[in-house]
Amino acid sequence: MGQAAEKLEPRIYVACLAAYNSGRLHGAWIAVEDDAEAVREAVAAMLAASPVAGAEEYAIHDHEDFGGVEVREYADLDHLVEIAGFLRERGHLGALVLEHFSGDLEAATSALDEQYRGVFSSLADCFQELVEETTVIPEALRLYIDWEAMARDARLGGEVFTVETGHDEVHVFWTR
């Protein structure tokens, strides 16, 4: 699929709220790996080292390498670990597809595994390639085919969705 080239390594910055509320900055960058318990232990270690005794509450104040996926201040750590694993496996394209499905990991996985057609310069190029692979087009008719209109109608009709990852880089997914 091409998205494996760039590797995402999601991290969160977790801040101690007791320190924050007393005007001090105390927190830690934590790699979001495959083990939610390890993330919780790293949060607990950060809280234990807080300049405010007995600190218990934290918030995610920053994040990086989530490919544009939104990370909320009080995100569930188990779910965050699932998202991070998905992003490490699927890269930036996965992040964009996850965004398309409003964070639904199951729908994004299904789209990438079962609905992916490929990457093209445009959606019209995708339809031209598909038709030329499956149909013999008489030379006399070739110039009359409006690939752009075909692509527009398919998009508007909900038959496909696309994700752009760069100039002339349109990833096409069938929806039906």
Side-chain angles (χ1 to χ4, degrees):
M1 263 191 259
Q3 78 266 24
E6 87 297 332
K7 188 97 166 131
L8 296 177
E9 295 296 337
R11 300 184 330 146
I12 53 175
Y13 181 80
V14 181
C16 170
L17 290 181
Y20 183 79
N21 290 333
S22 67
R24 299 185 207 159
L25 295 179
H26 176 76
W29 278 102
I30 299 171
V32 184
E33 306 272 329
D34 293 330
D35 183 2
E37 191 55 38
V39 174
R40 279 190 273 285
E41 288 172 7
V43 170
M46 178 276 300
L47 289 171
S50 175
V52 176
E56 296 177 349
E57 296 181 358
Y58 68 91
I60 299 169
H61 281 186
D62 201 359
H63 63 280
E64 65 182 25
D65 232 8
F66 275 82
V69 171
E70 181 181 352
V71 175
R72 298 189 185 275
E73 196 172 27
Y74 299 104
D76 176 72
L77 294 179
D78 291 313
H79 186 62
L80 209 55
V81 165
E82 285 182 65
I83 290 171
F86 176 86
L87 295 174
R88 275 192 305 281
E89 181 183 333
R90 305 299 184 135
H92 187 62
L93 177 60
L96 293 171
V97 172
L98 187 59
E99 180 184 346
H100 175 84
F101 286 105
S102 302
D104 185 334
L105 281 168
E106 189 176 323
T109 299
S110 177
L112 287 161
D113 291 345
E114 300 166 18
Q115 298 169 265
Y116 187 70
R117 169 72 177 146
V119 62
F120 302 88
S121 294
S122 68
L123 184 55
D125 286 351
C126 172
F127 275 89
Q128 182 175 356
E129 181 180 297
L130 175 66
V131 171
E132 289 175 346
E133 285 175 358
T134 60
T135 308
V136 175
I137 303 169
E139 247 350 274
L141 297 178
R142 187 170 293 281
L143 294 176
Y144 293 97
I145 299 173
D146 188 343
W147 304 113
E148 293 291 334
M150 189 182 292
R152 181 189 63 245
D153 290 351
R155 182 182 290 127
L156 292 174
E159 296 170 38
V160 298
F161 76 89
T162 60
V163 172
E164 294 186 33
T165 54
H167 179 68
D168 289 338
E169 222 176 69
V170 178
H171 297 266
V172 179
F173 298 83
W174 299 132
T175 59
R176 297 181 186 169

